[in-house]
Amino acid sequence: MKKMLAPIIILLLPACRGEFYDPTTGSAGASETGDDMGILDLGDGDGDGDGDGDGDGDGDGDGDGDGDGDVAGCGEVHVMFATSETYPADLGGLSGADQICQTHGAALDSSATWVALLSSGTLSAPIHARDRITVTKNVVNAQCELLAFDQADLWDGALANPIKFNELREVIDDQAGSLRFPFSASESDGELNATGVSCESWTSEDGGLGSFNTIRVEESAWIGTSTTSCNANRGLVCVSQ
């Protein structure tokens, strides 16, 4: 009796070409090599920062991902503070004033850009504080308390809370008022004050130039309600950009 051999069937399968999600196109695509097996390469943390981190793999959120924009631990806002030191009206112009703010602001957030809240120029060629300060988010003080919701709210003459704090998050409480009434030369709407005086665009300490507006850091009615002259030493108010 002859034995019957069971047939052996050999199946030839094509090489796998896995699919992966391509974030640049928003669709699935085939991997280029058979050994990919369709696994998405998440990278080693040294990419370009498109994710939650800053692109250097340390997850500190300094890149252009989800962690971007946090200022001084207050979130994605503009932070406003008054300086802890006073200065003569010869600030070295607006650029010198901005550098003073940058130096003080580093105590809150060294990665932020800080700008002095000052108007400058003359009535015929004004430089308004509201044009120097870009406001696209909520504005808060150094303790993260809301001051204004947006640009219009900032320049309506009243804040939700006083500025009140310096860059060390300390309350401004000097009795002489040099820190409590910083320079501004601005009206409540953020434009150069009506006298046109800004100490020759913040390059002069000549008291004979006239008076100009200051800021009240302790009050919600914060700007355009008090004055000083160019021979006084005052603090500055600084805003993150």
Side-chain angles (χ1 to χ4, degrees):
M1 182 175 181
K2 295 182 179 180
K3 293 182 178 181
M4 300 295 292
L5 297 177
I8 299 175
I9 300 174
I10 299 175
L11 297 177
L12 298 178
L13 300 175
C16 293
R17 289 178 61 82
E19 289 191 338
F20 64 94
Y21 178 73
D22 184 350
T24 65
T25 64
S27 62
S31 63
E32 294 297 327
T33 61
D35 57 359
D36 283 323
M37 297 305 292
I39 299 174
L40 176 63
D41 183 3
L42 297 179
D44 56 5
D46 59 356
D48 59 5
D50 290 338
D52 294 345
D54 59 359
D56 61 6
D58 59 9
D60 59 7
D62 294 331
D64 59 355
D66 295 345
D68 187 26
D70 185 287
V71 180
C74 293
E76 294 190 16
V77 296
H78 300 285
V79 177
M80 184 183 293
F81 70 89
T83 60
S84 59
E85 298 178 21
T86 62
Y87 296 89
D90 182 358
L91 298 166
L94 289 174
S95 61
D98 288 345
Q99 184 55 55
I100 290 171
C101 281
Q102 196 66 41
T103 299
H104 284 274
L108 278 171
D109 192 326
S110 60
S111 66
T113 298
W114 300 93
V115 175
L117 197 153
L118 294 173
S119 292
S120 186
T122 62
L123 291 177
S124 60
I127 299 174
H128 303 307
R130 66 178 300 138
D131 296 332
R132 284 176 33 82
I133 306 297
T134 299
V135 178
T136 59
K137 295 164 283 194
N138 290 352
V139 183
V140 302
N141 63 24
Q143 288 286 7
C144 308
E145 299 171 340
L146 180 69
L147 301 181
F149 288 109
D150 52 28
Q151 175 96 349
D153 194 24
L154 178 63
W155 301 115
D156 68 357
L159 300 176
N161 290 285
I163 300 168
K164 195 174 179 180
F165 303 102
N166 62 27
E167 74 277 7
L168 304 176
R169 291 190 163 101
E170 300 170 337
V171 174
I172 299 289
D173 61 357
D174 68 311
Q175 295 301 312
S178 299
L179 293 172
R180 291 187 294 120
F181 300 98
F183 294 136
S184 79
S186 305
E187 300 291 350
S188 60
D189 61 1
E191 295 190 355
L192 177 66
N193 47 212
T195 64
V197 175
S198 63
C199 304
E200 296 186 349
S201 297
W202 307 110
T203 62
S204 174
E205 299 174 47
D206 182 358
L209 291 173
S211 61
F212 57 93
N213 290 345
T214 60
I215 291 172
R216 293 174 177 263
V217 302
E218 295 178 315
E219 300 180 21
S220 294
W222 65 293
I223 191 168
T225 58
S226 59
T227 62
T228 190
S229 59
C230 296
N231 59 354
N233 281 25
R234 297 297 173 99
L236 296 175
V237 167
C238 308
V239 188
S240 66
Q241 297 292 278

